[in-house]
Amino acid sequence: MPKFIEALKEKNPNQDEFIQAVEEYYESVYPIIEATPRYQKNKILERMTEPERVIIFSVPWIDDKGEIHVNRGYRVQMNSALGPYKGGLRFHPSVNLSILKFLAFEQISKNALTSLPLGGGKGGADFDPKGKSDLEVMRFCQSFMNELFRHIGNYTDIPAGDIGVGGREIGYLFGKYKRIKNQFSGVLTGKGINWGGSLIRPEATGYGLIYFAKHMLENQGSQLKGKRCLVSGAGNVAQYAIEKLIDLEAKVISVSDSTGFIIDENGFTREKLDLLMEVKNERREGLESYAAEFDDLHFQAHDYDPDASLWKTKADCAFPCATQNEIGEADAKDLIENEIRLVAEGSNMSCTNEAIRILQESGVLYAPGKAANAGGVAVSGLEMSQNSQRVGWSREKVDSELQNIMKHIHGQCLSYAQKNNKPNNYLAGANIAAFFKVADAMIDQGVV
Ligand code: NDP
Ligand code: 2IT
């Protein structure tokens, strides 16, 4: 094991996800660091993997029955070489320091790839919004912001959404920040469209993912039209990935959530997607309720047969859009057996490092989340620009900027992969392209 990773493990015990993310990055960038004395001398990797600041705080709140609960809140301010800290907030019972550090670490590279002036951060809480009333969620968000407000600001740190944090939560968080600071500012992104949000922000991650995949296929002389596509997840990213795939005449044959999955051999239609959005976003129910509306759809609960998996289905392209490590070694082998051609990550770190290796060795086109799902934070960056200028751009303008950014990220991945003798290795290309930007900025700014 490389000395650097050994030391990292020692310094960060029990942070498996964080170590996983750094190991994946290290493999791409260590040849460059070894060949470049100033990156070694400046201890770039050591500094990049130590968060500039971590805030951990208690979030007490009262449920509708009057009972008191306490959750743990976090903000990991990872790196500000390129701009103020930027990254989402995740509310999920699994949230811990390791998960937020991996997300914040990946966010550094992702934000660098957008070419916008954004540093990297992430935060959240081990709070489960599931089954809570709107009032409970509001009280939780207000308590969370009662502490977080001290550490953020439109020139300091600009949080946004992630798993469990959508428009509703951003609204409550913004309202509380505005009241405490007596300031209406662009301190959060993903805001409502009539109070400072950007058009296309809700769609941006899913649309951007599919724009990216379209370039990957076009670069091989192929296209999305007619391709059988697997999508996992049923939240924000999955929904708009499905929408864009339908637009481009691909056939979407799966969807999943934390309760189970559905294989739909007839393919998603706009009408089905509308219903999925109603079930997930308005009724806030599980996929079983969605399947119940159709005679030909079968809902497969995860706990019914733990060996069943949507990745066992024959398809051309796979778009994991639920959570980290949702594609492991066995899943990668299943995908390859079924002749998958492309895997593009909507979720952050969808694939384990072993799964990535297996996919790449089999010649599958693989794109990491830090490149393929950067459309969300990119439009967050555009939301910040609109807020600063006190203007609101049209859908067409934002969508066209998003398309340009995704095309540019795709181009950077390919060219840095090529320059480093790893043709079509989007992971190496993304890591190396981002490394140069962040490392050089850190050196320019001195040891601070
Ligand atoms: P949502 O909360 O809207 O949706 C998440 C979906 O994934 C839900 O369907 C959820 O199931 C499912 N899910 C979450 N955790 C698990 C789990 N442990 N096991 C099984 N299923 C799970 O989040 P988003 O769509 O925003 O985020 C999805 C992924 O995309 C995350 O990895 C996030 O980091 C990443 N991402 C998000 C961006 C954004 O702009 N929102 C930007 C870039 C990346 P259920 O419905 O049952 O809760
Ligand atoms: O993982 C991500 O890039 C996000 N959750 C979006 C971050 C943002 O600031 O819009």
Side-chain angles (χ1 to χ4, degrees):
M1 190 191 306
K3 273 212 177 69
F4 171 77
I5 298 292
E6 215 171 292
L8 190 81
K9 283 187 175 168
E10 206 169 312
K11 202 170 179 189
N12 300 281
N14 306 316
Q15 296 190 6
D16 292 350
E17 294 85 359
F18 176 57
I19 303 292
Q20 178 186 337
V22 178
E23 276 187 311
E24 173 251 272
Y25 184 74
Y26 180 82
E27 203 175 311
S28 304
V29 301
Y30 85 84
I32 288 165
I33 296 173
E34 281 190 349
T36 321
R38 69 195 184 105
Y39 292 144
Q40 285 171 42
K41 199 169 111 237
N42 278 285
K43 296 269 162 58
I44 293 299
L45 216 45
E46 288 79 354
R47 287 159 64 193
M48 219 186 258
T49 50
E50 186 63 21
E52 291 177 5
R53 191 179 293 112
V54 176
I55 301 125
I56 301 184
F57 50 99
S58 83
V59 189
W61 59 280
I62 302 175
D63 71 18
D64 289 344
K65 295 192 201 99
E67 196 181 324
I68 297 172
H69 300 264
V70 58
N71 286 94
R72 190 170 289 172
Y74 305 82
R75 187 74 184 164
V76 178
Q77 298 181 331
M78 201 76 194
N79 187 288
S80 59
L82 298 181
Y85 309 108
K86 179 87 194 88
L89 295 171
R90 178 177 289 192
F91 290 170
H92 193 273
S94 64
V95 161
N96 60 34
L97 190 57
S98 172
I99 290 181
L100 295 179
K101 278 175 69 179
F102 114 66
L103 288 162
F105 180 72
E106 299 246 300
Q107 200 82 41
I108 307 173
S109 302
K110 184 192 308 193
N111 294 2
L113 289 170
T114 66
S115 300
L116 298 171
L118 304 170
K122 201 84 186 190
D126 59 356
F127 171 75
D128 188 358
K130 231 174 246 143
K132 307 289 189 298
S133 69
D134 284 351
L135 277 178
E136 288 173 329
V137 170
M138 182 176 84
R139 287 194 289 269
F140 178 82
C141 289
Q142 292 176 339
S143 179
F144 186 84
M145 190 53 88
N146 261 334
E147 175 59 38
L148 188 71
F149 86 94
R150 287 174 232 289
H151 312 288
I152 62 175
N154 57 342
Y155 293 112
T156 312
D157 184 354
I158 305 93
D162 193 79
I163 292 176
V165 177
R168 174 183 62 171
E169 290 75 17
I170 294 293
Y172 294 147
L173 291 164
F174 182 84
K176 186 68 179 176
Y177 182 87
K178 184 185 67 172
R179 176 126 201 238
I180 301 176
K181 298 284 286 188
N182 193 28
Q183 239 178 46
F184 195 111
S185 73
V187 66
L188 291 154
T189 59
K191 298 184 291 296
I193 191 59
N194 53 355
W195 47 275
S198 174
L199 288 166
I200 303 283
R201 177 61 188 89
E203 295 88 341
T205 312
Y207 280 15
L209 171 68
I210 305 308
Y211 294 147
F212 194 92
K214 181 170 168 278
H215 289 300
M216 292 170 80
L217 287 176
E218 281 173 1
N219 189 52
Q220 303 285 320
S222 185
Q223 56 175 2
L224 274 164
K225 188 173 175 180
K227 294 282 185 300
R228 282 169 64 87
C229 296
L230 297 172
V231 173
S232 69
N236 172 267
V237 180
Q239 291 170 11
Y240 289 104
I242 293 173
E243 181 167 86
K244 190 51 74 182
L245 285 168
I246 296 173
D247 279 352
L248 296 177
E249 297 178 60
K251 189 170 181 185
V252 181
I253 52 175
S254 74
V255 66
S256 71
D257 69 4
S258 57
T259 62
F261 67 91
I262 292 168
I263 302 297
D264 183 351
E265 276 299 336
N266 293 319
F268 256 90
T269 58
R270 282 192 175 280
E271 293 68 34
K272 286 178 178 172
L273 179 58
D274 286 345
L275 185 64
L276 180 75
M277 287 182 169
E278 186 194 312
V279 168
K280 295 306 295 183
N281 308 350
E282 285 160 44
R283 286 154 53 185
R284 297 184 190 272
E285 290 171 359
L287 273 183
E288 194 165 11
S289 305
Y290 167 78
E293 309 270 345
F294 303 92
D295 291 337
D296 61 333
L297 286 191
H298 170 63
F299 169 74
Q300 166 87 57
H302 290 310
D303 58 6
Y304 178 72
D305 176 3
D307 289 334
S309 152
L310 68 86
W311 309 122
K312 289 184 194 290
T313 313
K314 192 163 179 60
D316 303 298
C317 304
F319 299 100
C321 296
T323 193
Q324 66 275 358
N325 292 331
E326 51 177 315
I327 297 184
E329 189 177 341
D331 304 310
K333 287 180 180 155
D334 285 336
L335 288 167
I336 288 161
E337 205 160 297
N338 280 316
E339 293 171 11
I340 201 86
R341 293 169 61 179
L342 175 150
V343 176
E345 294 185 345
S347 47
N348 287 302
M349 202 166 81
S350 324
C351 296
T352 63
N353 289 343
E354 190 56 18
I356 297 173
R357 190 183 59 74
I358 292 171
L359 292 170
Q360 288 186 328
E361 281 177 7
S362 304
V364 175
L365 281 179
Y366 161 77
K370 65 190 96 180
N373 74 28
V377 75
V379 175
S380 278
L382 303 180
E383 182 172 328
M384 289 161 66
S385 304
Q386 294 169 73
N387 291 166
S388 302
Q389 296 175 48
R390 307 229 180 299
V391 294
W393 297 342
S394 67
R395 279 185 81 81
E396 291 69 28
K397 170 151 171 80
V398 182
D399 194 24
S400 128
E401 296 277 342
L402 170 63
Q403 291 189 42
N404 286 338
I405 291 172
M406 297 316 294
K407 185 176 173 188
H408 182 61
I409 297 175
H410 178 265
Q412 288 177 80
C413 291
L414 272 191
S415 79
Y416 279 87
Q418 185 73 36
K419 272 189 235 165
N420 288 278
N421 297 322
K422 299 199 164 167
N424 291 321
N425 185 333
Y426 286 87
L427 178 62
N431 283 337
I432 296 169
F435 175 80
F436 283 126
K437 294 188 196 199
V438 179
D440 291 345
M442 286 171 71
I443 293 173
D444 290 347
Q445 291 169 27
V447 181
V448 279

